[in-house]
Amino acid sequence: MSLAHLVLFAGLLSLVILASSSSSSSPGSRSILRDISGENADQKDRAVELNSSNFDSVLQDTPAKYAIVEFFAHWCPACRNYKPHYEKVARLFNGPDAIHPGIVLMTRVDCAMKTNTKLCDRFSVSHYPMLFWGSPSKFVSGSGEPKKEKSEIVVIDDARTAERLLKWINKQTQSSYGLDDKKFENEHVRTNITDYKQISQAVYDIEEATAEAFDIILSNKVIKSSETSASFIRFIQLLAAHHASRRCRKGAAEILVNYDDLCPSGKCSYEASGGKDTLGSFPICGKDLPRGYYMFCRGSRNDTRGFSCGLWVLFHSLSVRIEDGESQFAFNTICDFVNNFFMCDECRLHFNDMCLSVKTPFKKARDFVLWVWSTHNKVNERLMKDEASLGSGDPEFPKIIWPPRALCPSCYLSSDEKSIEWDHDNVYKFLKSYYGPKLVSLYKEKSVVGSKEETVSATAEDLTVATNALVVPVGAALAIAVASCAFGALACYWRTQQKNRKYCRGEAGTEVLEAELLMFP
């Protein structure tokens, strides 16, 4: 063998060894790659990478009050040197471990990517890095005009270091955040419960609570039998038709379509194997949820409110969106969901007792709305006593009877605080408005860009889809389906459409012929 062949053989052998080592998932091989790329193995980027395809959608969906967009180029040395400063500030506001979540969304756009050229041109980017500040909704389909001092999107002119950038943010938000701040305790609690607009923040909370409930079900692997499987399916059906968030409706529908494959015979696969999808492969409200923090339901301490508050708002929002014929199904579904999947044992038992106390089936949606409301107040009454004796309540948000007189004076028939008499008609009107149009008002303002007429139209459309999801589109299917099997009929059809079956059997044993597929935009 010649010297040239020996050299070639040695080179090939080294390539094989390198390929073998890099294909393994050992920490050592990954750390080598990180060292080569100059990145810290323990440092995770918190600034959200945006591009022309997701720029508008991310900014219109964020619950953050403000946004920063950094326009940079990956080949720019100054940009690379600035990144650690930007990330040092981003860790305060972004990600599930954010110190001050929900205040500022910090993002980055690489203008050196050809796909982002038009996006960077849209904001008149003249140098790198260039930072813009504004309300997230103003960035959506907007443009930057840095020469105009009164522009709603402004250029951050003093952000050379992390300290300067944070100082600039503090000035805009009238805050005093520090780079060394520790885990978040809510210094931005809003205690004015008479502010009607506060509920508009809760649309993000019901998304958060829905995603968190889904994660709890997955992490505890609680779908273990045909009974729990049926309970889970009914709850997902209810969300697919009536969740206030469009992306949660869409995610729930996708789970229904694929459920037979994900959980054959009610036995779900939680561990990925052989490249097959699991239930966790279909995040119910999208891959960006849960975010790890609440808005309307945020307590003054990290251990108060949050998930339980978000779940109650979810139940209220579902109750005001159902039709009369769905009321008993919705009641059974929520009771079964709490009984099977709520992990607080004492809470679960109390709720189950209240469900069992209902002896007459619901025939009107109004009755179900008022039952959810009265049940919530009974829970609050019990917790008021417990928290008062133990001192475990949130000092800024003590449990109260809802709604307070200041928020709905017409809901009260008397002025006696010790013996409250309710005007149930006005209570019902209040709940329908508060957990209906009021709940989604800010969500639509931030997610719809255009004229006032377009915004109103889009809001009406969203409520129509959520409220009448089972009534209008499925037509013939519901004409032959009794109310108790309406959701089952819809789920069956979704699966039928996917699997080309001729028919399926609903919950009440009704064979449902193929019908028009309900589409979720």
Side-chain angles (χ1 to χ4, degrees):
M1 183 179 294
S2 67
L3 179 60
H5 286 96
L6 286 172
V7 173
L8 178 60
F9 177 75
L12 290 172
L13 182 61
S14 65
L15 287 174
V16 170
I17 294 173
L18 179 60
S20 175
S21 63
S22 63
S23 63
S24 69
S25 299
S26 67
S29 63
R30 290 199 298 270
S31 64
I32 290 173
L33 291 176
R34 289 194 185 98
D35 289 340
I36 292 173
S37 64
E39 294 182 7
N40 188 323
D42 297 325
Q43 183 66 42
K44 183 177 180 181
D45 289 351
R46 291 303 182 190
V48 180
E49 296 284 346
L50 299 181
N51 54 54
S52 59
S53 63
N54 68 0
F55 186 86
D56 285 355
S57 61
V58 170
L59 286 164
Q60 75 180 13
D61 286 339
T62 179
K65 187 175 182 179
Y66 305 101
I68 295 177
V69 180
E70 178 202 3
F71 291 97
F72 74 103
H74 62 260
W75 48 258
C76 167
C79 297
R80 291 197 296 268
N81 292 335
Y82 182 65
K83 182 178 179 182
H85 291 276
Y86 194 67
E87 287 293 339
K88 193 172 183 179
V89 178
R91 77 167 187 89
L92 296 174
F93 304 107
N94 287 20
D97 298 321
I99 312 301
H100 304 288
I103 309 299
V104 183
L105 176 69
M106 298 187 63
T107 67
R108 310 175 82 228
V109 175
D110 187 355
C111 292
M113 303 293 290
K114 290 185 178 180
T115 54
N116 295 331
T117 299
K118 290 184 179 180
L119 177 60
C120 296
D121 288 345
R122 195 172 101 191
F123 288 90
S124 306
V125 177
S126 58
H127 59 270
Y128 306 129
M130 190 173 185
L131 277 62
F132 287 79
W133 166 277
S135 168
S137 62
K138 301 303 179 183
F139 281 99
V140 180
S141 299
S143 61
E145 299 180 17
K147 293 183 180 180
K148 290 188 177 182
E149 294 181 359
K150 295 183 179 180
S151 173
E152 293 175 313
I153 300 176
V154 299
V155 175
I156 301 177
D157 53 8
D158 188 13
R160 188 177 298 273
T161 65
E163 290 76 11
R164 288 188 181 184
L165 175 57
L166 188 57
K167 182 179 179 181
W168 200 94
I169 293 172
N170 281 334
K171 183 178 180 180
Q172 301 302 312
T173 60
Q174 297 182 343
S175 304
S176 56
Y177 305 123
L179 294 174
D180 296 326
D181 286 356
K182 303 302 181 183
K183 187 61 181 176
F184 172 75
E185 292 285 339
N186 188 7
E187 68 271 49
H188 292 284
V189 171
R190 297 178 181 178
T191 57
N192 182 12
I193 57 176
T194 61
D195 182 0
Y196 222 106
K197 293 183 179 179
Q198 284 193 35
I199 189 61
S200 63
Q201 295 280 347
V203 71
Y204 301 110
D205 289 357
I206 63 172
E207 290 180 329
E208 187 74 12
T210 303
E212 189 169 348
F214 189 62
D215 279 0
I216 290 172
I217 291 171
L218 293 179
S219 61
N220 290 279
K221 302 178 181 179
V222 289
I223 304 176
K224 299 177 179 178
S225 64
S226 58
E227 178 185 351
T228 52
S229 179
S231 175
F232 177 77
I233 290 174
R234 287 193 293 270
F235 191 68
I236 298 301
Q237 290 166 1
L238 185 61
L239 299 185
H242 295 304
H243 202 290
S245 165
R246 186 171 297 187
R247 56 182 160 191
C248 294
R249 293 199 300 273
K250 180 179 178 181
E254 289 175 348
I255 291 173
L256 285 177
V257 168
N258 294 279
Y259 190 79
D260 284 348
D261 295 329
L262 300 171
C263 302
S265 303
K267 296 180 180 179
C268 296
S269 174
Y270 297 98
E271 305 295 335
S273 61
K276 293 183 179 180
D277 286 332
T278 66
L279 197 56
S281 303
F282 294 85
I284 193 165
C285 293
K287 59 184 178 63
D288 296 325
L289 289 165
R291 303 177 187 93
Y293 60 87
Y294 287 84
M295 303 290 290
F296 174 81
C297 286
R298 191 186 307 173
S300 63
R301 301 200 311 260
N302 291 330
D303 60 346
T304 59
R305 305 189 81 209
F307 177 58
S308 59
C309 168
L311 205 58
W312 272 116
V313 178
L314 173 63
F315 291 164
H316 285 296
S317 69
L318 291 170
S319 73
V320 302
R321 285 170 169 76
I322 64 168
E323 299 295 325
D324 287 344
E326 304 161 340
S327 54
Q328 183 62 28
F329 176 89
F331 166 74
N332 290 335
T333 297
I334 288 178
C335 287
D336 287 346
F337 172 80
V338 173
N339 188 49
N340 287 311
F341 303 122
F342 199 67
M343 305 306 290
C344 171
D345 196 50
E346 184 179 358
C347 307
R348 179 182 62 81
L349 292 174
H350 279 292
F351 195 91
N352 190 48
D353 288 341
M354 289 185 287
C355 289
L356 292 175
S357 68
V358 177
K359 305 300 182 183
T360 305
F362 290 100
K363 295 182 180 180
K364 296 289 185 180
R366 176 185 183 276
D367 296 334
F368 178 60
V369 170
L370 292 175
W371 180 83
V372 174
W373 161 74
S374 64
T375 299
H376 193 176
N377 272 338
K378 289 176 183 176
V379 171
N380 279 353
E381 282 185 299
R382 179 175 61 84
L383 291 178
M384 272 192 283
K385 297 176 182 178
D386 294 342
E387 291 178 356
S389 62
L390 298 172
S392 57
D394 190 320
E396 298 291 342
F397 294 96
K399 292 292 186 292
I400 61 173
I401 299 303
W402 188 260
R405 194 182 299 272
L407 193 58
C408 183
S410 63
C411 292
Y412 292 75
L413 288 174
S414 66
S415 58
D416 188 353
E417 296 295 338
K418 294 183 179 180
S419 180
I420 299 175
E421 292 184 45
W422 297 100
D423 184 326
H424 288 93
D425 287 337
N426 282 330
V427 170
Y428 175 65
K429 291 177 183 178
F430 167 81
L431 296 171
K432 284 282 288 185
S433 174
Y434 194 74
Y435 294 107
K438 294 292 183 182
L439 176 68
V440 299
S441 59
L442 180 62
Y443 184 68
K444 296 310 301 179
E445 287 173 15
K446 295 186 71 170
S447 61
V448 178
V449 177
S451 67
K452 181 181 291 187
E453 290 76 12
E454 289 173 337
T455 302
V456 171
S457 175
T459 304
E461 175 198 0
D462 189 74
L463 291 174
T464 301
V465 171
T467 304
N468 300 314
L470 289 177
V471 177
V472 179
V474 293
L478 289 185
I480 59 174
V482 293
S484 63
C485 75
F487 288 91
L490 180 58
C492 282
Y493 185 73
W494 277 327
R495 297 172 194 163
T496 302
Q497 191 75 4
Q498 293 293 315
K499 302 174 186 302
N500 294 320
R501 296 172 183 166
K502 292 184 178 180
Y503 66 88
C504 64
R505 189 172 295 274
E507 286 185 49
T510 305
E511 290 183 355
V512 183
L513 300 177
E514 292 188 354
E516 181 181 346
L517 179 63
L518 177 62
M519 299 301 293
F520 288 85

